[in-house]
């Protein structure tokens, strides 16, 4: 979707994934030994065989911060791409307005999801446990929060 449509989600996190059964309710589970999902990437077609008892499709939801423009790559990040602080890539916080849009944010979010799933630990708390917001940054955030416009 990124290559073809320029889609960047900007809020990839476990909370935004939903599981749906891949079973066709009109077919009895014991009628087929496997559920086969077919999907294509470019000119390649893949067939994923799953046991009917474990056949689920993961769907990504919440596209409120997403961008669907291929020409957005390399453009400055705006407030529209900021989501949950815990999911914000470090370069957005470090570089601020110099940070650029692209698929890196989604890669960072997916990496956090994988870390959480593979280890069973909550990565957000581990990453932010010892982080302290600098006083000058807090002051700027307060100024933005209290202002009528976000042009500070």
């Amino acid at each position: 979707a990124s290559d073809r449509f320029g889609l960047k989600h900007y809020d990839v996190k476990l909370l935004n994934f939903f599981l749906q059964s891949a079973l066709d309710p009109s077919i009895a589970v014991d009628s087929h030994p496997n559920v086969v999902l077919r999907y294509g990437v470019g000119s390649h077609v893949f067939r994923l065989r799953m046991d009917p008892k474990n056949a689920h499709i993961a769907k990504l939801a919440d596209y409120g911060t997403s961008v669907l423009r291929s020409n957005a790559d390399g453009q400055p990040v705006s407030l529209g791409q900021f989501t949950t602080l815990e999911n914000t890539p470090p370069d957005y916080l470090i570089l601020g307005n110099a940070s650029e849009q692209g698929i890196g944010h989604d890669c960072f979010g997916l990496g956090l999801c994988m870390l959480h799933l593979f280890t069973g630990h909550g990565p957000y708390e581990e990453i932010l446990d010892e982080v302290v917001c600098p006083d000058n940054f807090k002051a700027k955030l307060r100024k933005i929060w209290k202002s009528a416009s976000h042009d500070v």
Side-chain angles (χ1 to χ4, degrees):
S2 178
D3 288 345
R4 187 166 182 187
F5 303 111
L7 174 67
K8 280 144 317 268
H9 190 275
Y10 292 108
D11 199 16
V12 175
K13 60 184 174 188
L14 290 178
L15 203 58
N16 287 338
F17 282 98
F18 297 95
L19 289 181
Q20 175 185 355
S21 173
L23 298 177
D24 182 343
S26 67
I27 301 173
V29 174
D30 55 356
S31 295
H32 297 282
N34 291 305
V35 172
V36 179
L37 296 177
R38 291 178 185 85
Y39 62 96
V41 177
S43 63
H44 303 284
V45 176
F46 299 91
R47 289 166 192 81
L48 179 62
R49 293 180 187 269
M50 295 183 280
D51 182 311
K53 294 178 220 123
N54 300 319
H56 291 87
I57 300 170
K59 294 184 173 185
L60 182 59
D62 189 358
Y63 287 84
T65 58
S66 66
V67 172
L68 192 59
R69 291 186 328 268
S70 58
N71 64 349
D73 287 348
Q75 297 295 316
V77 170
S78 71
L79 285 176
Q81 283 82 54
F82 275 85
T83 60
T84 311
L85 181 62
E86 293 88 350
N87 297 326
T88 302
D91 58 313
Y92 281 26
L93 301 173
I94 295 166
L95 299 175
N97 291 339
S99 202
E100 296 180 353
Q101 293 187 44
I103 61 168
H105 191 158
D106 290 348
C107 293
F108 180 81
L110 189 57
L112 288 176
C113 291
M114 292 170 59
L115 178 65
H116 178 72
L117 290 171
F118 294 162
T119 65
H121 298 291
Y124 313 131
E125 294 80 9
E126 292 174 18
I127 290 173
L128 295 176
D129 191 32
E130 297 178 21
V131 173
V132 177
C133 186
D135 290 335
N136 62 344
F137 187 57
K138 276 189 211 176
K140 287 182 180 184
L141 287 175
R142 281 193 189 101
K143 183 177 178 185
I144 292 169
W145 186 261
K146 292 177 181 179
S147 69
S149 76
H150 296 294
D151 186 24
V152 177

